PDB file of all heavy atoms in Angstrom:
ATOM      1  N   ILE C 172     -61.541  -8.922 -54.464  1.00 91.00           N
ATOM      2  CA  ILE C 172     -62.907  -9.407 -54.751  1.00 91.00           C
ATOM      3  C   ILE C 172     -62.843 -10.636 -55.638  1.00 91.00           C
ATOM      4  O   ILE C 172     -63.505 -11.653 -55.378  1.00 91.00           O
ATOM      5  CB  ILE C 172     -63.736  -8.297 -55.420  1.00 91.00           C
ATOM      6  CG1 ILE C 172     -64.071  -7.226 -54.388  1.00 91.00           C
ATOM      7  CG2 ILE C 172     -65.004  -8.847 -56.025  1.00 91.00           C
ATOM      8  CD1 ILE C 172     -64.784  -6.036 -54.971  1.00 91.00           C
ATOM      9  N   LYS C 173     -61.969 -10.535 -56.643  1.00 90.00           N
ATOM     10  CA  LYS C 173     -61.856 -11.684 -57.542  1.00 90.00           C
ATOM     11  C   LYS C 173     -61.361 -12.911 -56.787  1.00 90.00           C
ATOM     12  O   LYS C 173     -61.837 -14.027 -56.987  1.00 90.00           O
ATOM     13  CB  LYS C 173     -60.904 -11.347 -58.695  1.00 90.00           C
ATOM     14  CG  LYS C 173     -61.521 -10.423 -59.710  1.00 90.00           C
ATOM     15  CD  LYS C 173     -60.507 -10.014 -60.756  1.00 90.00           C
ATOM     16  CE  LYS C 173     -61.110  -8.981 -61.695  1.00 90.00           C
ATOM     17  NZ  LYS C 173     -60.049  -8.231 -62.392  1.00 90.00           N
ATOM     18  N   ALA C 174     -60.411 -12.697 -55.911  1.00 89.00           N
ATOM     19  CA  ALA C 174     -59.835 -13.834 -55.185  1.00 89.00           C
ATOM     20  C   ALA C 174     -60.864 -14.450 -54.261  1.00 89.00           C
ATOM     21  O   ALA C 174     -60.958 -15.681 -54.148  1.00 89.00           O
ATOM     22  CB  ALA C 174     -58.615 -13.370 -54.395  1.00 89.00           C
ATOM     23  N   THR C 175     -61.671 -13.631 -53.600  1.00 88.00           N
ATOM     24  CA  THR C 175     -62.619 -14.191 -52.647  1.00 88.00           C
ATOM     25  C   THR C 175     -63.858 -14.752 -53.335  1.00 88.00           C
ATOM     26  O   THR C 175     -64.657 -15.421 -52.702  1.00 88.00           O
ATOM     27  CB  THR C 175     -63.065 -13.137 -51.616  1.00 88.00           C
ATOM     28  OG1 THR C 175     -63.435 -11.958 -52.331  1.00 88.00           O
ATOM     29  CG2 THR C 175     -61.962 -12.822 -50.656  1.00 88.00           C
ATOM     30  N   MET C 176     -64.015 -14.439 -54.616  1.00 88.00           N
ATOM     31  CA  MET C 176     -65.140 -15.049 -55.333  1.00 88.00           C
ATOM     32  C   MET C 176     -64.850 -16.498 -55.677  1.00 88.00           C
ATOM     33  O   MET C 176     -65.733 -17.236 -56.080  1.00 88.00           O
ATOM     34  CB  MET C 176     -65.468 -14.255 -56.600  1.00 88.00           C
ATOM     35  CG  MET C 176     -66.327 -13.034 -56.279  1.00 88.00           C
ATOM     36  SD  MET C 176     -66.375 -11.895 -57.630  1.00 88.00           S
ATOM     37  CE  MET C 176     -67.649 -12.619 -58.618  1.00 88.00           C
ATOM     38  N   ASN C 177     -63.628 -16.893 -55.533  1.00 86.00           N
ATOM     39  CA  ASN C 177     -63.279 -18.293 -55.684  1.00 86.00           C
ATOM     40  C   ASN C 177     -64.075 -19.134 -54.680  1.00 86.00           C
ATOM     41  O   ASN C 177     -64.026 -18.885 -53.481  1.00 86.00           O
ATOM     42  CB  ASN C 177     -61.764 -18.411 -55.410  1.00 86.00           C
ATOM     43  CG  ASN C 177     -61.275 -19.829 -55.542  1.00 86.00           C
ATOM     44  OD1 ASN C 177     -62.060 -20.753 -55.680  1.00 86.00           O
ATOM     45  ND2 ASN C 177     -59.968 -19.973 -55.481  1.00 86.00           N
ATOM     46  N   PRO C 178     -64.840 -20.121 -55.153  1.00 86.00           N
ATOM     47  CA  PRO C 178     -65.681 -20.882 -54.228  1.00 86.00           C
ATOM     48  C   PRO C 178     -64.882 -21.665 -53.198  1.00 86.00           C
ATOM     49  O   PRO C 178     -65.430 -22.067 -52.175  1.00 86.00           O
ATOM     50  CB  PRO C 178     -66.464 -21.814 -55.150  1.00 86.00           C
ATOM     51  CG  PRO C 178     -65.727 -21.838 -56.429  1.00 86.00           C
ATOM     52  CD  PRO C 178     -65.034 -20.528 -56.558  1.00 86.00           C
ATOM     53  N   PHE C 179     -63.603 -21.871 -53.463  1.00 84.00           N
ATOM     54  CA  PHE C 179     -62.815 -22.616 -52.481  1.00 84.00           C
ATOM     55  C   PHE C 179     -62.130 -21.713 -51.471  1.00 84.00           C
ATOM     56  O   PHE C 179     -61.358 -22.153 -50.656  1.00 84.00           O
ATOM     57  CB  PHE C 179     -61.763 -23.472 -53.209  1.00 84.00           C
ATOM     58  CG  PHE C 179     -62.372 -24.461 -54.139  1.00 84.00           C
ATOM     59  CD1 PHE C 179     -62.334 -24.284 -55.508  1.00 84.00           C
ATOM     60  CD2 PHE C 179     -63.045 -25.574 -53.621  1.00 84.00           C
ATOM     61  CE1 PHE C 179     -62.915 -25.183 -56.351  1.00 84.00           C
ATOM     62  CE2 PHE C 179     -63.629 -26.474 -54.472  1.00 84.00           C
ATOM     63  CZ  PHE C 179     -63.575 -26.299 -55.847  1.00 84.00           C
ATOM     64  N   GLN C 180     -62.397 -20.452 -51.562  1.00 81.00           N
ATOM     65  CA  GLN C 180     -61.738 -19.502 -50.663  1.00 81.00           C
ATOM     66  C   GLN C 180     -62.777 -18.898 -49.719  1.00 81.00           C
ATOM     67  O   GLN C 180     -63.784 -18.358 -50.154  1.00 81.00           O
ATOM     68  CB  GLN C 180     -61.101 -18.387 -51.499  1.00 81.00           C
ATOM     69  CG  GLN C 180     -60.527 -17.249 -50.704  1.00 81.00           C
ATOM     70  CD  GLN C 180     -59.314 -17.683 -49.898  1.00 81.00           C
ATOM     71  OE1 GLN C 180     -58.477 -18.436 -50.360  1.00 81.00           O
ATOM     72  NE2 GLN C 180     -59.250 -17.221 -48.662  1.00 81.00           N
ATOM     73  N   SER C 181     -62.515 -19.013 -48.428  1.00 79.00           N
ATOM     74  CA  SER C 181     -63.427 -18.392 -47.458  1.00 79.00           C
ATOM     75  C   SER C 181     -62.959 -16.979 -47.156  1.00 79.00           C
ATOM     76  O   SER C 181     -61.778 -16.667 -47.248  1.00 79.00           O
ATOM     77  CB  SER C 181     -63.453 -19.222 -46.172  1.00 79.00           C
ATOM     78  OG  SER C 181     -63.777 -18.405 -45.087  1.00 79.00           O
ATOM     79  N   MET C 182     -63.928 -16.147 -46.820  1.00 76.00           N
ATOM     80  CA  MET C 182     -63.607 -14.754 -46.519  1.00 76.00           C
ATOM     81  C   MET C 182     -62.736 -14.628 -45.276  1.00 76.00           C
ATOM     82  O   MET C 182     -62.017 -13.644 -45.098  1.00 76.00           O
ATOM     83  CB  MET C 182     -64.899 -13.967 -46.278  1.00 76.00           C
ATOM     84  CG  MET C 182     -65.691 -13.716 -47.516  1.00 76.00           C
ATOM     85  SD  MET C 182     -65.376 -12.083 -48.117  1.00 76.00           S
ATOM     86  CE  MET C 182     -66.356 -11.119 -46.986  1.00 76.00           C
ATOM     87  N   GLU C 183     -62.854 -15.574 -44.396  1.00 76.00           N
ATOM     88  CA  GLU C 183     -62.156 -15.446 -43.119  1.00 76.00           C
ATOM     89  C   GLU C 183     -60.893 -16.299 -43.077  1.00 76.00           C
ATOM     90  O   GLU C 183     -60.317 -16.507 -42.021  1.00 76.00           O
ATOM     91  CB  GLU C 183     -63.086 -15.859 -41.960  1.00 76.00           C
ATOM     92  CG  GLU C 183     -64.315 -14.993 -41.821  1.00 76.00           C
ATOM     93  CD  GLU C 183     -63.995 -13.620 -41.233  1.00 76.00           C
ATOM     94  OE1 GLU C 183     -63.032 -13.524 -40.474  1.00 76.00           O
ATOM     95  OE2 GLU C 183     -64.705 -12.655 -41.585  1.00 76.00           O
ATOM     96  N   LYS C 184     -60.494 -16.807 -44.229  1.00 80.00           N
ATOM     97  CA  LYS C 184     -59.329 -17.690 -44.214  1.00 80.00           C
ATOM     98  C   LYS C 184     -58.134 -17.020 -44.873  1.00 80.00           C
ATOM     99  O   LYS C 184     -58.274 -16.116 -45.696  1.00 80.00           O
ATOM    100  CB  LYS C 184     -59.653 -19.002 -44.923  1.00 80.00           C
ATOM    101  CG  LYS C 184     -59.916 -20.131 -43.922  1.00 80.00           C
ATOM    102  CD  LYS C 184     -60.428 -21.380 -44.568  1.00 80.00           C
ATOM    103  CE  LYS C 184     -59.377 -22.186 -45.274  1.00 80.00           C
ATOM    104  NZ  LYS C 184     -59.979 -23.376 -45.921  1.00 80.00           N
ATOM    105  N   VAL C 185     -56.975 -17.485 -44.506  1.00 85.00           N
ATOM    106  CA  VAL C 185     -55.739 -16.898 -45.000  1.00 85.00           C
ATOM    107  C   VAL C 185     -55.665 -17.058 -46.507  1.00 85.00           C
ATOM    108  O   VAL C 185     -55.960 -18.119 -47.058  1.00 85.00           O
ATOM    109  CB  VAL C 185     -54.535 -17.588 -44.323  1.00 85.00           C
ATOM    110  CG1 VAL C 185     -53.242 -17.111 -44.938  1.00 85.00           C
ATOM    111  CG2 VAL C 185     -54.556 -17.342 -42.838  1.00 85.00           C
ATOM    112  N   LEU C 186     -55.263 -15.973 -47.160  1.00 84.00           N
ATOM    113  CA  LEU C 186     -55.189 -15.952 -48.619  1.00 84.00           C
ATOM    114  C   LEU C 186     -53.791 -16.406 -49.034  1.00 84.00           C
ATOM    115  O   LEU C 186     -52.833 -15.647 -48.910  1.00 84.00           O
ATOM    116  CB  LEU C 186     -55.441 -14.530 -49.111  1.00 84.00           C
ATOM    117  CG  LEU C 186     -56.716 -14.232 -49.867  1.00 84.00           C
ATOM    118  CD1 LEU C 186     -56.859 -12.742 -50.036  1.00 84.00           C
ATOM    119  CD2 LEU C 186     -56.711 -14.924 -51.202  1.00 84.00           C
ATOM    120  N   GLY C 187     -53.676 -17.587 -49.543  1.00 83.00           N
ATOM    121  CA  GLY C 187     -52.344 -18.068 -49.889  1.00 83.00           C
ATOM    122  C   GLY C 187     -52.031 -18.029 -51.370  1.00 83.00           C
ATOM    123  O   GLY C 187     -50.964 -18.473 -51.786  1.00 83.00           O
ATOM    124  N   SER C 188     -52.943 -17.482 -52.144  1.00 86.00           N
ATOM    125  CA  SER C 188     -52.786 -17.579 -53.590  1.00 86.00           C
ATOM    126  C   SER C 188     -51.572 -16.797 -54.080  1.00 86.00           C
ATOM    127  O   SER C 188     -51.449 -15.596 -53.809  1.00 86.00           O
ATOM    128  CB  SER C 188     -54.053 -17.027 -54.251  1.00 86.00           C
ATOM    129  OG  SER C 188     -53.762 -16.610 -55.563  1.00 86.00           O
ATOM    130  N   PRO C 189     -50.650 -17.438 -54.818  1.00 90.00           N
ATOM    131  CA  PRO C 189     -49.482 -16.722 -55.349  1.00 90.00           C
ATOM    132  C   PRO C 189     -49.871 -15.702 -56.394  1.00 90.00           C
ATOM    133  O   PRO C 189     -49.200 -14.681 -56.549  1.00 90.00           O
ATOM    134  CB  PRO C 189     -48.615 -17.833 -55.937  1.00 90.00           C
ATOM    135  CG  PRO C 189     -49.508 -18.999 -56.122  1.00 90.00           C
ATOM    136  CD  PRO C 189     -50.617 -18.874 -55.142  1.00 90.00           C
ATOM    137  N   VAL C 190     -50.984 -15.969 -57.125  1.00 91.00           N
ATOM    138  CA  VAL C 190     -51.422 -15.004 -58.130  1.00 91.00           C
ATOM    139  C   VAL C 190     -51.839 -13.709 -57.461  1.00 91.00           C
ATOM    140  O   VAL C 190     -51.492 -12.608 -57.899  1.00 91.00           O
ATOM    141  CB  VAL C 190     -52.589 -15.588 -58.949  1.00 91.00           C
ATOM    142  CG1 VAL C 190     -53.031 -14.590 -60.004  1.00 91.00           C
ATOM    143  CG2 VAL C 190     -52.186 -16.909 -59.561  1.00 91.00           C
ATOM    144  N   PHE C 191     -52.562 -13.862 -56.368  1.00 92.00           N
ATOM    145  CA  PHE C 191     -53.003 -12.677 -55.625  1.00 92.00           C
ATOM    146  C   PHE C 191     -51.800 -11.861 -55.169  1.00 92.00           C
ATOM    147  O   PHE C 191     -51.752 -10.648 -55.319  1.00 92.00           O
ATOM    148  CB  PHE C 191     -53.854 -13.109 -54.427  1.00 92.00           C
ATOM    149  CG  PHE C 191     -54.343 -11.970 -53.599  1.00 92.00           C
ATOM    150  CD1 PHE C 191     -55.367 -11.158 -54.058  1.00 92.00           C
ATOM    151  CD2 PHE C 191     -53.782 -11.692 -52.366  1.00 92.00           C
ATOM    152  CE1 PHE C 191     -55.826 -10.103 -53.304  1.00 92.00           C
ATOM    153  CE2 PHE C 191     -54.230 -10.626 -51.621  1.00 92.00           C
ATOM    154  CZ  PHE C 191     -55.261  -9.826 -52.084  1.00 92.00           C
TER     155      PHE C 191
END
Side-chain angles (χ1 to χ4, degrees):
Chain C
I172 288 175
K173 286 174 185 160
T175 49
M176 279 165 83
N177 180 351
F179 300 106
Q180 173 68 40
S181 153
M182 288 261 283
E183 298 286 331
K184 258 172 77 182
V185 173
L186 249 170
S188 157
V190 181
F191 180 74

